[in-house]
Amino acid sequence: MMIGQFLNYLRYERNRSPLTVQTYEKNLREFEAYFLELDDCLTFQSVDSDVIRGWMERLMDDGKKPTTVNLALSAIRTFYRYALSRHLVEHDPAHCVTGPKKPKPLPQFVREAEMDELLDKKLQGDTLNNVRARTIIFLFYETGIRLSELVGLNDEDVDFAAMQLKVTGKRDKQRIIPFGSELSEELHTYMARRDAEIAKQSPALFLSNKGLRINRKHVQYLVKKQLTGITTLKKRSPHVLRHSFATAMLNNGAGLESVKKLLGHESLGTTEIYTHTTFEQLKRVYNEAHPRA
């Protein structure tokens, strides 16, 4: 009875799609079957929060993903808000129930050996396009800067004497990132070729062949094209190179606080996701190397 009233409310008052109504009904019928299995005297009016949590645990035990469980819980919450507003129940047992957390995907990164192969072997050639592509890939990987930060770089932001970049990040916050002799050489080579072949119409460090500041889409295309030849990762973007920088730094002994500052993160919690990545790599090494693993 109550389910039928609720479904009519969805159809005629909320104008929900037939598929949405069908999904809500499926979840409510399954929940009803669950609590009647526990105790055939239970009703929608008498179930409590523990019954709802038990149902969610059943769904998880049956292999349902957190996203699916949260959608089912959302149906129950909507049902009880409706029932409470129409005085069909005296309390809402679902309002204090929280769903399972969605697992955060680990950041994808290109392995150091793959990056070495790209930079030392595949990205060769002395045409301006090749030199520019190599310098952009190198800059992403050696500094971990964001796409918007790279596109926004001007010549004046590169301090060759101090071997550092001035980067303007989110909310116009600036930070200083050091760089090494290899990147310094790459930047010198690129800038010399750029100035010899392009009529400069912008203060930007990276220019299109027309002399204008390079745009984000071009950089994304360039990175994807170059990474396609060395990795099977589904994502092949500038952000993957940022992840690769952070992972390589931590794998080679950098402290978490230092990596946080280099990446321009507001909180250490944002940077800590990379420790999970490096630990996963450590587990793989352990499993492959230990004779009793």
Side-chain angles (χ1 to χ4, degrees), residues 139 143-158 164-177 213 216 242 261-266:
L139 187 59
T143 66
I145 63 175
R146 300 177 178 94
L147 170 61
S148 60
E149 294 169 346
L150 180 137
V151 170
L153 284 174
N154 293 329
D155 282 1
E156 65 182 14
D157 296 325
V158 184
Q164 62 188 32
L165 289 177
K166 183 175 70 176
V167 175
T168 302
K170 292 183 176 180
R171 292 179 289 279
D172 292 328
K173 288 189 176 181
Q174 292 188 329
R175 68 186 188 280
I176 302 297
I177 303 177
R213 187 181 297 276
R216 293 169 60 99
R242 182 168 160 86
K261 289 179 180 178
L262 290 169
L263 291 172
H265 284 161
E266 290 287 336

Side-chain angles (χ1 to χ4, degrees), residues 189-207:
T189 301
Y190 159 70
M191 293 170 79
R193 290 299 300 272
R194 178 200 69 186
D195 294 344
E197 299 186 28
I198 294 176
K200 205 166 191 279
Q201 301 180 51
S202 165
L205 173 61
F206 291 105
L207 300 177

Side-chain angles (χ1 to χ4, degrees), residues 12-141:
Y12 305 120
E13 295 186 41
R14 298 295 299 276
N15 294 317
R16 293 299 182 90
S17 69
L19 181 59
T20 298
V21 174
Q22 182 182 344
T23 302
Y24 274 80
E25 180 175 17
K26 175 179 178 292
N27 285 313
L28 288 167
R29 297 293 184 196
E30 288 180 355
F31 176 56
E32 183 180 41
Y34 168 77
F35 68 66
L36 288 175
E37 181 185 330
L38 291 178
D39 184 342
D40 58 14
C41 291
L42 284 173
T43 65
F44 281 109
Q45 290 92 337
S46 62
V47 299
D48 58 19
S49 300
D50 286 339
V51 173
I52 298 175
R53 292 189 186 97
W55 178 58
M56 291 166 57
E57 289 175 9
R58 167 77 68 84
L59 294 176
M60 295 291 286
D61 289 343
D62 288 343
K64 296 292 190 295
K65 294 180 179 179
T67 302
T68 303
V69 177
N70 280 316
L71 286 172
L73 177 60
S74 177
I76 300 302
R77 284 176 176 158
T78 305
F79 169 78
Y80 272 107
R81 282 198 298 269
Y82 159 81
L84 193 63
S85 70
R86 301 298 169 94
H87 307 291
L88 300 174
V89 296
E90 294 182 358
H91 70 287
D92 176 2
H95 81 279
C96 61
V97 178
T98 57
K101 291 183 178 180
K102 299 176 185 177
K104 290 184 178 180
L106 293 176
Q108 294 184 316
F109 62 95
V110 184
R111 301 188 184 284
E112 292 175 49
E114 293 170 332
M115 287 305 303
D116 289 343
E117 180 185 1
L118 176 61
L119 294 170
D120 296 338
K121 297 177 183 178
K122 292 186 176 295
L123 257 178
Q124 299 301 320
D126 62 354
T127 66
L128 174 60
N129 287 344
N130 281 342
V131 171
R132 180 172 48 213
R134 177 182 168 83
T135 306
I136 286 174
I137 298 287
F138 213 117
L139 187 59
F140 274 131
Y141 184 54

Side-chain angles (χ1 to χ4, degrees), residues 220-237:
Q220 289 170 324
Y221 167 78
L222 183 153
V223 171
K224 183 175 181 178
K225 179 181 177 182
Q226 297 303 329
L227 292 186
T228 297
I230 61 158
T231 180
T232 57
L233 291 176
K234 290 183 179 179
K235 291 186 71 176
R236 299 183 290 276
S237 66

